[in-house]
Amino acid sequence: MKEKSQDQIIRTEYSEVMQKSYIDYAMSVIISRALPDVRDGLKPVQRRTLYDMYELGIQYDKPYRKCARIVGDTMGKYHPHGDSSIYEALVVLAQDFKKGQTLVDGHGNFGSIEGDIAAAMRYTEARLEKITQDVYLKDLDKDVIDFMPNFDETEKEPVVLPVRVPNLLLNGADGIAVGMATSIPPHNLGEIVDAVKAYMENNDITIQELMRYIKGPDFPTGGIVVNKDELLSIYEKGTGKIRIRGKVEVEKSKNGKQCIVITEIPYPMIGANIGKFLNDVAGLVESKKAPEITDISNQSSKEGIRIVLELKKGAEPERIINLLYKKTRLEDTFGVNMLAVAEGRPETLNLKQIIEYHVDFQFEVATRKYQNLLRREMDKREVQEGLIKACDVIDLIIEILRGSKTQKQVKDCLIMGITEGIRFRTKASEKKAAQLCFTERQATAILEMRLQKLIGLEMEALLKDHEETLAKINRYEDILNHYDSMAQVIMEDLDRIKKEYAKKRRTAIENAEEVVLEEARVEEMDVVFLMDRFGYAKTIDVSAYERNQEAILSENKFVFRCRNTDKICVFTDLGQMHTVKVLDIPYGRFRDKGTPIDNLGNYSSQKEQMVYVDALSNIKNQKLLFATATGMVKVVDGSEFDVVKRTIAATKLSGEEDRLILVGIFGESDYVVLQTKGGYFLRFSASEVPEKKKAAVGVRGIRLNENDQVEHAYLLESRMECTIMYHEKPITLNSKVKLAKRDTKGTKLRV
């Protein structure tokens, strides 16, 4: 038994097992959950939800059903990945502000464009839209697509739905898989139909020619696409960025003031971003960048978006509109990545490829449909021909029926002409019966035929049905045997869909110049910058500082004068320098709380610590001394920090464990004091420190013992007495630490 168990052990590399498992997981997420199929443009959860509603008979002309019932049935039969993902997919399919064409008719609270979430599934109800039944689920009973077993092999589910239009373009798609994501904008149904027809008429059509029909995306929220000339490149590559602006109008209010009214928003703004936009506008007002705005009101309703900004008399609406485009999400970008599952693998597709895959799928569906219809009509023709032939010899058939003892005798006689065991009135009848040769299906139909079929009118109806059947067979054979005939049928169906369901384009497509914002001229003035030990920053009037100087200096960590047009430079222990415009810092009274410096720039108190803060105007004409934990020192010209970027590397650290300890302005008569964790102090002249570029590491300031590092650094003026606390006792550095040379070990103080 032991030998047998040892034989079952498979030895393998752990990394190989992990790699295979991760690849299997990634492909499962990509194919089975996150990405849509190029043929029907649906992700598995959407396809399964729609098919389950179809199976439950929740049609557009039937009563609504509870969403909880739909979600539970879908999860139990087809999608065992949790009810929240199914309900979320169901809700999105019903939201007209997210989908170019809603596929589910929702009843109840299905959320709002402003980001309100849908009510719980036990409260909401839903049913299929008419277009879903007519365009997405039609002909499922005609064996037009393949079915596969569900997760536990107790049910069958469709591999793909027989969608008649390129849903990948109509409704777009978004999804995040493992290592890849898809983002496809919605388009106009009428334009898509015209493009598909153009491709069917000329397979060599170019993407540029297709764009005569598809002008560009058609977002349900409207708006204006402003980079029309870039759309061709986006549709050719399948990737790119679409710039969208909200639609803005200028109106006059009842009190005679001008108002900026936003009636359409960029598609990426839907949801919580509307609230963020309103906060951003309020921020522009507070920071004095848009003082002309006196009131902000969101008057949006079910009828549509209406955000009203009331302006002061004499304000320039054009400047405010440009400011909104530049500083808020009223102009935004939609990142396009037309990734979908094509032939079982993820692929980035261009516009023509999506249409090509769709048309190939339509021909496949149509072929299977008409093959199935032809088969049915052939079977019907066989029965009809049998009944017509039987009516001609009905007396003989009745004689066979009356002379037979069993049904088998009758069938054998009708099919093979076997007359044994059947009593006939005459030999002539028996001879005729022996010549009968009906098929199995015809014989069954004759035995099931009612006597009323012998009435003259019934016979005429039978002959008429037979003629119609023959006409259908000819038509179906023509469709199956000729490309043009099948293409004509598909295009006629597309024309019908366009006529019944197409809507007017909502998004305008144009070329617009980049917004050039002329900043309102700020009255230049002196201010005092204050930052407390918690990182809250503000600026105050110089006179207020002079009146409260003693209290300000005792309560704040950094205090200095600067101009309101200046920049604040924040040096951190990670060797970074972050800049913040003084105009972005709140200007107010001495006792105002201020704003965390984290909120004003790229600095993050969670990841780095402030070492030095000063105004750019104070340092750009000075020399700055840098000291790090590994004992490296250097001098850098302050002009190197006069940069446009908001964050730069202020110095190069010597390793991952290194950090910046000191930044300070110095003169040639100054001294540098380095203090290590091991208790060593070294004081040397700052003139010994060479000037380097900001990208340099510097030179060694002190020789460190193993596992020791610089803990504090001080920059002293020659006549300044500097007292620090060391082991809870005060020490005067000038007198206690003797002057030495740079790059020596220093003196260990004993207290």
Side-chain angles (χ1 to χ4, degrees):
M1 292 295 290
K2 287 183 179 179
E3 289 182 4
K4 186 177 180 181
S5 63
Q6 287 176 353
D7 290 342
Q8 291 175 342
I9 295 173
I10 300 172
R11 296 187 178 277
T12 183
E13 284 289 333
Y14 182 72
S15 59
E16 291 178 7
V17 175
M18 289 298 294
Q19 183 179 3
K20 183 179 183 303
S21 299
Y22 188 77
I23 290 173
D24 290 345
Y25 160 73
M27 288 305 296
S28 174
V29 172
I30 290 166
I31 304 299
S32 302
R33 295 179 73 174
L35 299 186
D37 193 298
V38 68
R39 293 171 293 178
D40 62 4
L42 297 170
K43 294 194 277 189
V45 64
Q46 297 170 327
R47 186 182 304 117
R48 288 164 175 167
T49 303
L50 294 176
Y51 179 68
D52 187 74
M53 294 176 73
Y54 168 82
E55 285 285 282
L56 291 173
I58 311 174
Q59 300 177 6
Y60 76 95
D61 54 353
K62 300 288 177 63
Y64 293 94
R65 296 281 284 278
K66 284 285 185 184
C67 289
R69 169 66 194 279
I70 299 168
V71 171
D73 203 60
T74 304
M75 183 168 62
K77 287 182 179 178
Y78 310 117
H79 197 75
H81 301 294
D83 56 353
S84 60
S85 63
I86 301 170
Y87 185 51
E88 184 180 344
L90 181 67
V91 167
V92 171
L93 289 172
Q95 291 178 326
D96 58 2
F97 51 86
K98 282 190 179 178
K99 291 294 178 184
Q101 174 61 61
T102 56
L103 304 181
V104 171
D105 180 9
H107 184 241
N109 177 13
F110 274 76
S112 74
I113 194 171
E114 296 182 41
D116 301 315
I117 62 172
M121 68 179 89
R122 62 182 178 273
Y123 299 121
T124 55
E125 297 175 326
R127 64 185 178 189
L128 292 170
E129 290 274 16
K130 185 181 179 184
I131 188 174
T132 314
Q133 285 179 226
D134 191 23
V135 179
Y136 287 71
L137 299 165
K138 192 176 180 181
D139 294 333
L140 269 176
D141 58 336
K142 292 184 175 63
D143 188 32
V144 293
I145 45 96
D146 292 329
F147 282 76
M148 64 181 180
N150 68 337
F151 62 92
D152 61 1
E153 299 189 358
T154 58
E155 300 279 345
K156 293 283 188 181
E157 62 173 299
V159 174
V160 65
L161 293 184
V163 182
R164 304 294 181 84
V165 295
N167 183 58
L168 197 64
L169 293 174
L170 174 60
N171 272 329
D174 61 273
I176 301 173
V178 179
M180 56 184 67
T182 184
S183 179
I184 304 173
H187 294 78
N188 184 269
L189 175 58
E191 293 179 5
I192 293 171
V193 167
D194 292 339
V196 171
K197 287 172 61 182
Y199 171 80
M200 291 174 68
E201 290 169 354
N202 175 19
N203 292 163
D204 297 324
I205 192 170
T206 64
I207 293 176
Q208 188 170 6
E209 289 169 336
L210 282 172
M211 289 187 65
R212 294 176 187 170
Y213 307 97
I214 298 179
K215 308 298 183 187
D218 187 21
F219 296 103
T221 53
I224 306 165
V225 171
V226 294
N227 58 334
K228 181 179 178 181
D229 288 345
E230 296 175 21
L231 294 181
L232 177 59
S233 173
I234 292 171
Y235 283 127
E236 285 178 338
K237 296 176 182 176
T239 58
K241 288 186 177 180
I242 296 172
R243 288 196 297 123
I244 322 162
R245 290 179 184 171
K247 189 175 180 182
V248 179
E249 298 173 356
V250 179
E251 298 179 2
K252 276 198 173 182
S253 62
K254 294 179 181 178
N255 56 14
K257 292 183 179 179
Q258 286 187 314
C259 294
I260 294 173
V261 181
I262 300 162
T263 56
E264 294 176 7
I265 59 173
Y267 186 67
M269 198 198 279
I270 60 176
N273 287 326
I274 293 179
K276 187 179 184 307
F277 167 74
L278 296 173
N279 289 334
D280 289 345
V281 176
L284 291 174
V285 177
E286 289 176 7
S287 63
K288 303 290 193 301
K289 290 184 179 179
E292 300 95 333
I293 300 175
T294 59
D295 185 56
I296 309 166
S297 61
N298 185 2
Q299 301 174 12
S300 304
S301 63
K302 290 182 179 180
E303 280 68 45
I305 292 291
R306 184 176 170 84
I307 299 172
V308 181
L309 310 179
E310 191 174 291
L311 306 180
K312 291 179 180 177
K313 287 185 177 179
E316 297 178 12
E318 284 301 318
R319 195 194 81 81
I320 302 300
I321 292 170
N322 286 341
L323 181 69
L324 296 175
Y325 284 146
K326 197 74 175 177
K327 298 293 185 181
T328 72
R329 300 195 72 166
L330 193 60
E331 180 177 319
D332 212 337
T333 58
F334 182 95
V336 177
N337 185 27
M338 299 202 291
L339 183 73
V341 177
E343 297 179 350
R345 65 178 185 273
E347 187 178 345
T348 300
L349 306 168
N350 61 38
L351 180 64
K352 184 177 177 180
Q353 286 175 315
I354 292 174
I355 293 175
E356 188 176 355
Y357 274 114
H358 168 76
V359 171
D360 290 345
F361 178 58
Q362 290 309 302
F363 272 90
E364 180 187 335
V365 168
T367 299
R368 292 181 63 163
K369 173 184 174 181
Y370 286 106
Q371 283 175 344
N372 191 47
L373 289 174
L374 178 61
R375 197 179 304 113
R376 291 184 189 180
E377 293 301 322
M378 296 287 277
D379 292 344
K380 193 187 292 185
R381 182 184 70 175
E382 182 182 342
V383 171
Q384 289 170 344
E385 288 177 348
L387 292 177
I388 291 169
K389 184 178 174 183
C391 289
D392 292 338
V393 291
I394 192 63
D395 294 334
L396 177 60
I397 291 172
I398 291 171
E399 190 174 338
I400 294 168
L401 288 168
R402 295 186 67 180
S404 301
K405 294 177 181 177
T406 64
Q407 184 173 325
K408 187 177 182 307
Q409 283 182 324
V410 179
K411 267 198 167 184
D412 289 344
C413 182
L414 292 175
I415 297 170
M416 295 176 286
I418 299 172
T419 58
E420 292 178 12
I422 302 174
R423 289 183 292 104
F424 291 93
R425 293 180 182 175
T426 64
K427 285 288 184 182
S429 297
E430 186 176 355
K431 189 176 180 180
K432 288 180 182 178
Q435 296 173 355
L436 295 176
C437 57
F438 290 99
T439 65
E440 175 79 27
R441 188 177 282 109
Q442 289 172 340
T444 302
I446 290 167
L447 290 174
E448 293 174 354
M449 183 177 66
R450 295 183 180 182
L451 290 174
Q452 69 181 24
K453 289 287 185 182
L454 302 176
I455 300 172
L457 291 175
E458 289 290 334
M459 287 297 298
E460 289 180 12
L462 178 61
L463 292 169
K464 187 176 180 182
D465 287 344
H466 182 55
E467 289 177 4
E468 291 177 358
T469 301
L470 291 175
K472 286 181 180 178
I473 289 171
N474 290 333
R475 180 168 177 266
Y476 297 158
E477 286 178 340
D478 178 57
I479 291 171
L480 290 168
N481 294 330
H482 299 91
Y483 172 89
D484 292 341
S485 298
M486 186 173 286
Q488 185 63 33
V489 169
I490 294 172
M491 287 194 284
E492 286 175 0
D493 196 37
L494 288 172
D495 286 334
R496 178 189 63 80
I497 292 169
K498 176 183 175 181
K499 184 177 179 181
E500 188 167 355
Y501 302 109
K503 299 174 183 174
K504 189 178 178 183
R505 166 173 276 280
R506 290 161 287 196
T507 301
I509 309 289
E510 61 184 50
N511 282 315
E513 294 181 3
E514 187 81 24
V515 171
V516 178
L517 183 63
E518 293 183 7
E519 298 276 357
R521 296 197 66 175
V522 178
E523 185 182 347
E524 199 169 338
M525 57 186 277
D526 285 328
V527 294
V528 178
F529 172 85
L530 311 179
M531 184 192 295
D532 63 20
R533 60 191 180 91
F534 300 108
Y536 282 80
K538 60 179 175 283
T539 56
I540 62 172
D541 186 73
V542 175
S543 59
Y545 165 71
E546 291 172 348
R547 289 194 304 270
N548 303 278
Q549 186 171 355
E550 187 176 343
I552 288 172
L553 293 174
S554 63
E555 294 175 15
N556 291 278
K557 187 175 181 181
F558 296 102
V559 180
F560 51 81
R561 289 193 182 195
C562 59
R563 302 289 282 176
N564 61 344
T565 54
D566 206 348
K567 290 180 182 178
I568 303 298
C569 300
V570 180
F571 294 85
T572 73
D573 62 340
L574 297 183
Q576 301 287 310
M577 185 194 78
H578 307 288
T579 59
V580 178
K581 289 182 179 179
V582 175
L583 287 172
D584 292 339
I585 301 170
Y587 176 80
R589 295 171 296 180
F590 160 51
R591 289 299 175 188
D592 288 347
K593 189 175 182 181
T595 299
I597 197 74
D598 299 52
N599 298 348
L600 301 173
N602 295 335
Y603 169 73
S604 172
S605 58
Q606 304 288 329
K607 300 176 182 177
E608 49 192 339
Q609 300 297 319
M610 275 182 284
V611 175
Y612 182 68
V613 179
D614 206 341
L616 177 62
S617 59
N618 294 342
I619 66 172
K620 68 180 181 180
N621 296 320
Q622 301 285 344
K623 306 286 185 183
L624 296 184
L625 184 136
F626 288 76
T628 72
T630 56
M632 307 303 289
V633 295
K634 68 175 178 180
V635 172
V636 180
D637 194 295
S639 62
E640 288 199 44
F641 302 103
D642 188 2
V643 294
V644 176
K645 289 185 178 180
R646 298 180 68 182
T647 298
I648 63 166
T651 186
K652 185 178 180 180
L653 300 177
S654 58
E656 291 184 4
E657 301 298 322
D658 197 11
R659 59 192 179 90
L660 190 60
I661 298 295
L662 170 72
V663 178
I665 298 174
F666 81 108
E668 288 187 3
S669 60
D670 292 340
Y671 297 110
V672 180
V673 178
L674 303 179
Q675 175 190 345
T676 75
K677 282 188 176 181
Y680 285 88
F681 286 78
L682 175 64
R683 180 165 69 98
F684 58 90
S685 173
S687 60
E688 294 185 46
V689 182
E691 185 172 332
K692 301 279 185 179
K693 293 292 183 181
K694 67 174 186 287
V697 175
V699 298
R700 189 162 57 191
I702 184 171
R703 291 181 179 270
L704 296 172
N705 291 332
E706 189 176 355
N707 298 325
D708 199 6
Q709 64 177 18
V710 176
E711 187 175 25
H712 298 291
Y714 309 95
L715 192 58
L716 311 179
E717 292 181 11
S718 56
R719 299 178 181 178
M720 182 180 74
E721 290 289 332
C722 181
T723 303
I724 65 167
M725 296 302 293
Y726 181 63
H727 291 299
E728 300 181 355
K729 291 186 178 180
I731 292 178
T732 304
L733 294 176
N734 303 58
S735 58
K736 192 72 175 176
V737 182
K738 65 180 182 179
L739 186 64
K741 289 291 184 180
R742 180 183 65 78
D743 197 17
T744 56
K745 194 171 182 180
T747 305
K748 187 164 185 176
L749 294 186
R750 303 185 185 277
V751 180

